[in-house]
Amino acid sequence: MSEQVRHRFAGDVNDLELADYQRAVRLVLRHPLITATWPDERALPRVRRFAASLRRDLSEAFGYRLELHGGTARLIRAKDRLDPTQPALSRTGRTFDRQRYAYLALCLATLGRAGIQITLSELADSVAADATRITGLGLDPDQGADRRAFVDAVGWLEERGALRVADGSSAAWASDPGAGEALYDVARDVVFALFRPTRVLQHVESVAALLDRSAANSGNAERRHAAQLARRAVVESPVVYLADVDPAVANHLRGAPLAADLARLTGLRLERRAEGVLLVDTAGFTIERFPGTGSVAQAAVLLAVELADRALDPDGRRVRRLAPPDPQAGHRALVDQLDSGLPTATLVLLDDAGAPPPPGDEPDAAGEGRLPFITDSFLRDAVGEILRRYRSAFGAQWHADPERLRSEAVALLDRFGAVTRVPGGVLVRPLLARYRNTVATVRPRPAADTLF
């Protein structure tokens, strides 16, 4: 039986190729869209080499669908909840805002009906014409903010190979739309692979309708679906707390087969604690890592040590403990925020368009135990002490704006499930216990860096 469980996935991959196959699995999970150039020129051949096994295993393990057409590989994922921690980023690392997302959507709409080539000014004119019909949007190339947002959207498409520069550059147009120009080849297979909604958008009354609504009609189907939910949660979240998921999913998270399945598929080890599980990233599986590099990541680790010592100190009776917020509250707030921007005038409602989310979206009334509450004032003092103690490790901009450093460090800890932000401070989650009594060594910044 153990042999059968161990080879439930990748059963037709021999041991000599297993490491390459696991690298392909991690690649597809990290980059749901793969083209001839994105994320690099070696990615697509690596996926094509194991296409049949990947299709079968990704479908059985996660309920995902892998499609390969032309020069693209597209993983159609079944999403159980909205994830605000993986935004689109510009080439300079700028997080996309609503304006950039809107321009990106309008660019895709234009390219879907364009020919094999298009100039940047033609694309801008078409997007501007569509944007003027959307209240509060618009696109004026003479306005620097509009122009930068549009170029960020175009650059995102360039990176993924949907647009390939044939002549000129977007930078020249961004500097002077009247003098600069760029000519693009349009990769239509990439354009069509990029936009793959699970439902016709004109029939969607709420963004929640785009989430997975699979219904199991037998005991075996229910167990299979719960196992897929558990595997999806582990590969898509930095940490999964048992209190945040349905009991059926929690049972699979506790079981030995989950660790064996994910180790066989991804080559990564599952770490299990009483409160939850996480996949230990030893192969650069995730785009953002913690602990990581950079000033914010360093500050977050140091802040984690302070929070863990404060929350778990024997004298911790002085620390208030509060019930955590509903695990689904943030998800529902994000759904409401996105739904507020729906163009209701164009909706074409069907009988099930407003169907409620699956039962798994309902909050767990029992919840988990109370969590230590750490105030914003403690966080400010801790960041101030970190800057004082490790002064040479942080640039002048952070010393000048410690509040920004605190905010970004706390946001990083929140993204990784180490804390939960609440009004007036944070709730310390069990993951931070691993950083208690950690001795941190921060490498000073090179002297040249202090000039900037």
Side-chain angles (χ1 to χ4, degrees), residues 105-440:
L106 294 177
C107 283
L108 286 170
T110 297
L111 296 175
R113 56 181 183 264
I116 60 173
Q117 284 191 322
I118 191 171
T119 64
L120 186 55
S121 58
E122 289 173 339
L123 181 58
D125 289 343
S126 180
V127 169
D130 290 336
T132 56
R133 295 194 286 270
I134 301 175
T135 303
L137 186 58
L139 169 58
D140 183 356
D142 292 331
Q143 297 295 322
D146 287 2
R147 198 163 63 244
R148 287 189 295 272
F150 174 70
V151 169
D152 281 346
V154 171
W156 191 91
L157 293 168
E158 282 187 56
E159 280 189 304
R160 283 148 186 83
L163 293 173
R164 300 164 187 162
V165 178
D167 190 23
S169 74
S170 59
W173 183 89
S175 298
D176 186 355
E181 185 59 282
L183 175 66
Y184 291 106
D185 295 326
V186 180
R188 299 184 64 81
D189 55 341
V190 179
V191 172
F192 294 145
L194 271 170
F195 184 64
R196 296 297 302 274
T198 56
R199 300 187 58 180
V200 178
L201 294 187
Q202 285 85 351
H203 298 167
V204 172
E205 189 177 8
S206 168
V207 69
L210 298 177
L211 300 176
D212 181 52
R213 298 193 294 172
S214 302
N217 53 16
S218 70
N220 287 337
E222 288 179 358
R223 286 189 292 273
R224 177 175 178 268
H225 184 57
Q228 288 181 339
L229 289 172
R231 297 187 198 105
R232 290 203 295 250
V234 172
V235 299
E236 292 182 359
S237 305
V239 60
V240 184
Y241 292 106
L242 301 179
D244 291 349
V245 299
D246 289 342
V249 176
N251 286 338
H252 283 280
L253 292 173
R254 294 187 184 98
L258 180 77
D261 290 344
L262 292 178
R264 178 76 181 176
L265 271 172
T266 68
L268 302 179
R269 178 176 59 86
L270 191 73
E271 181 176 313
R272 184 180 284 111
R273 293 290 185 267
E275 300 86 359
V277 301
L278 61 85
L279 204 60
V280 180
D281 183 8
T282 56
F285 171 56
T286 55
I287 295 176
E288 185 178 34
R289 305 183 70 179
F290 180 77
T293 59
S295 296
V296 172
Q298 289 181 339
V301 172
L302 295 169
L303 189 57
V305 175
E306 297 294 329
L307 287 170
D309 288 345
R310 171 64 171 159
L312 302 176
D313 191 276
D315 297 328
R317 287 176 298 178
R318 296 174 297 172
V319 178
R320 291 175 59 196
R321 301 182 74 88
L322 303 178
D326 177 357
Q328 300 295 335
H331 176 258
R332 289 196 297 270
L334 184 55
V335 168
D336 292 341
Q337 180 184 2
L338 293 174
D339 286 352
S340 68
L342 283 175
T344 55
T346 61
L347 287 180
V348 181
L349 299 182
L350 301 179
D351 289 343
D352 67 341
D361 259 4
E362 295 301 319
D364 179 3
E368 60 180 301
R370 292 176 175 268
L371 300 174
F373 172 69
I374 306 298
T375 64
D376 283 335
S377 62
F378 177 89
L379 294 171
R380 292 190 183 95
D381 292 344
V383 170
E385 177 61 20
I386 288 169
L387 288 171
R388 185 195 65 77
R389 192 184 313 160
Y390 302 99
R391 184 173 186 83
S392 62
F394 296 93
Q397 73 273 23
W398 300 115
H399 288 280
D401 193 358
E403 184 62 18
R404 178 186 162 206
L405 182 61
R406 179 193 69 85
S407 176
E408 294 194 15
V410 169
L412 191 154
L413 292 173
D414 187 27
R415 288 196 298 274
F416 278 86
V419 303
T420 296
R421 286 184 286 187
V422 294
V426 299
L427 298 180
V428 176
R429 307 211 70 179
L431 180 64
L432 273 188
R434 65 168 55 206
Y435 296 100
R436 188 186 182 196
N437 300 324
T438 297
V439 177

